[in-house]
Amino acid sequence: MDKAKRNHPYARCRALFLGFLVVCLSYWSVKADDLAGVDLNKGASFIFGDSLVDAGNNNYLPTLSRANIRPNGIDFKASGGNPTGRYTNGRTIGDIVGEMLGQPNFAAPFLASNTTGKAILYGVNYASGGGGILNGTGRIFVNRLSMDIQVDYFNITRKQIDKLLGSSRAKEYLGKTSIFSITIGANDFLNNYMLPVLSIGARITETPEAFINDMISHLRNQLTRLYQLDARKFVVANVGPIGCIPYQKTINQLNQDECVELPNKMAKQYNIQLKGLLTELTQNLPGSTYVYANVYDLVMELITNYDKYGFTTASQACCGNGGQSAGIIPCGPTSSMCDNRSSHVFWDPYHPSEAANLLLAKQLLDGPTKYISPMNLRQLRDL
């Protein structure tokens, strides 16, 4: 073998001890053009969940749950005010958190055709409107991505990252500079266990406690699967005060300052078990960090003291129709819309406005352990 061939990178790889071969081959698999302009130190957000953080995956599904119609997205600057599939007037909490952590691009929807190549290194969004922890949740919408399917999709992304970075570098990138956020569970109550008419059978055969135990068991498996795919830094949101959303207030004909008791009670029961699950996983999965986002108390604070934060109402949907809280018909072209979107805690019958999302995101980023524990997201990023 001549000198030039002996000095070829692949030839040198073959000559090395087997333990170093994988690293060398991984390095060899990286093409400089694939990573041009990508700063891996900025990290990435891999986002799982439901409509609270869906960035447009449902646009690509034959589903009854979609937000790619006006006036959704009217304040989303990146699209020029056009709908993107986000269930709010602007950015989701996931968008805002990524932006404030310095990530240069929003995590793109997994199902979008351009979510390929180096674009996935900025993060990927797997969330789906109507999705839940349990696979049966949201069947009223015909199609949606359950948490199990979302993890399956991340497995595809995981293999793509290996091809881009090589296995060793990919593992470090996912473990040290990426944050995995999970915002899911509300639909398991609203569009499963407590769904009018369709869920009566389930409620007869399964107690609320048994249903919540089932949710926790499934979520344990889902989070463990992500860990096995090299995720290490997690933030998991609890379920918010779903009995206080305009939809619940409207169908139950409540006053402005009232909330439906059963949904909130079940959310709080689930949240207690979720916190224990995250403690358990942190102890049992070496190198993992699970951060608990107390969205329930955060949103309840906004609802209770809305005027303190510059809002004029926490009961009326800005965009919607039907009932005293405009809480029956989802936001669409024929909906009434408030004049000042930043004055409403809720954009539509179910989802916060961008103004509310911004306040929530700031607390998750830099807030106290009352709202985000054992550390906030900026501390998690720097861990």
Side-chain angles (χ1 to χ4, degrees):
M1 184 182 294
D2 60 34
K3 183 177 181 182
K5 290 182 178 178
R6 285 198 307 272
N7 288 330
H8 191 279
Y10 185 66
R12 291 200 301 271
C13 273
R14 292 172 59 188
L16 290 173
F17 178 68
L18 183 61
F20 295 98
L21 182 58
V22 173
V23 175
C24 198
L25 285 173
S26 297
Y27 177 80
W28 177 247
S29 70
V30 179
K31 298 176 182 178
D33 289 346
D34 289 341
L35 302 182
V38 177
D39 183 358
L40 296 179
N41 294 319
K42 294 287 186 181
S45 292
F46 294 94
I47 299 172
F48 304 80
D50 53 29
S51 56
L52 290 170
V53 288
D54 187 350
N57 280 305
N58 277 26
N59 296 353
Y60 305 93
L61 298 174
T63 178
L64 298 177
S65 178
R66 283 192 176 187
N68 61 337
I69 52 174
R70 295 178 183 274
N72 291 296
I74 191 171
D75 298 308
F76 191 66
K77 293 180 181 178
S79 68
N82 292 310
T84 62
R86 289 168 169 82
Y87 293 74
T88 185
N89 59 306
R91 294 165 295 170
T92 68
I93 294 178
D95 293 329
I96 296 167
V97 166
E99 201 171 41
M100 289 187 168
L101 288 178
Q103 293 162 7
N105 294 77
F106 295 129
F110 174 83
L111 294 179
S113 60
N114 59 349
T115 307
T116 59
K118 64 184 181 183
I120 67 176
L121 298 176
Y122 296 120
V124 179
N125 186 307
Y126 306 88
S128 172
I133 294 170
L134 303 177
N135 290 319
T137 291
R139 65 181 181 271
I140 191 175
F141 301 119
V142 183
N143 280 296
R144 69 284 175 210
L145 306 179
S146 68
M147 186 63 183
D148 276 335
I149 294 174
Q150 293 179 37
V151 177
D152 288 342
Y153 283 164
F154 175 70
N155 189 30
I156 296 172
T157 302
R158 178 69 187 83
K159 294 172 183 176
Q160 293 171 336
I161 294 174
D162 260 354
K163 290 180 180 178
L164 284 169
L165 300 182
S167 59
S168 178
R169 196 177 182 191
K171 188 172 184 177
E172 180 180 12
Y173 174 68
L174 291 169
K176 293 186 177 180
T177 61
S178 300
I179 292 178
F180 291 75
S181 69
I182 294 90
T183 305
I184 204 162
N187 283 317
D188 293 284
F189 296 117
L190 294 176
N191 292 306
N192 190 334
Y193 194 76
M194 291 183 290
L195 190 66
V197 182
L198 295 181
S199 68
I200 289 176
R203 278 185 277 175
I204 291 173
T205 59
E206 192 171 24
T207 65
E209 292 75 20
F211 183 79
I212 290 169
N213 288 339
D214 198 18
M215 288 175 64
I216 292 295
S217 177
H218 277 75
L219 187 61
R220 177 185 290 108
N221 292 335
Q222 292 153 357
L223 295 177
T224 301
R225 285 178 63 201
L226 287 173
Y227 173 85
Q228 291 167 343
L229 292 168
D230 294 321
R232 291 295 181 270
K233 295 181 179 181
F234 297 85
V235 54
V236 184
N238 66 12
V239 172
I242 50 179
C244 302
I245 61 177
Y247 170 74
Q248 288 288 331
K249 286 176 179 286
T250 300
I251 65 171
N252 289 282
Q253 299 181 336
L254 298 184
N255 295 327
Q256 179 175 323
D257 59 349
E258 293 180 309
C259 296
V260 185
E261 184 178 351
L262 179 59
N264 282 357
K265 180 181 178 181
M266 290 190 71
K268 286 190 281 190
Q269 288 175 330
Y270 166 80
N271 292 344
I272 291 170
Q273 291 204 40
L274 174 65
K275 193 168 187 179
L277 171 64
L278 300 187
T279 300
E280 169 200 319
L281 292 174
T282 300
Q283 293 171 346
N284 294 341
L285 300 178
S288 67
T289 303
Y290 288 86
V291 170
Y292 177 75
N294 187 4
V295 172
Y296 187 99
D297 284 353
L298 264 174
V299 174
M300 189 59 82
E301 167 66 16
L302 285 188
I303 290 172
T304 305
N305 300 302
Y306 61 88
D307 51 346
K308 171 183 170 183
Y309 299 95
F311 297 105
T312 59
T313 177
S315 60
Q316 188 86 10
C318 172
C319 182
N321 276 323
Q324 75 272 24
S325 297
I328 294 180
I329 302 174
C331 181
T334 61
S335 301
S336 60
M337 187 170 65
C338 64
D339 295 329
N340 184 1
R341 296 179 288 276
S342 63
S343 68
H344 284 60
V345 170
F346 287 97
W347 161 245
D348 66 12
Y350 305 93
H351 307 98
S353 64
E354 184 186 62
N357 282 336
L358 183 60
L359 289 174
L360 299 172
K362 286 180 177 178
Q363 289 288 4
L364 298 180
L365 280 160
D366 298 302
T369 54
K370 174 183 178 182
Y371 295 132
I372 182 86
S373 61
M375 65 189 74
N376 60 44
L377 296 191
R378 209 175 295 278
Q379 293 166 332
L380 179 66
R381 190 267 317 266
D382 296 337
L383 188 65

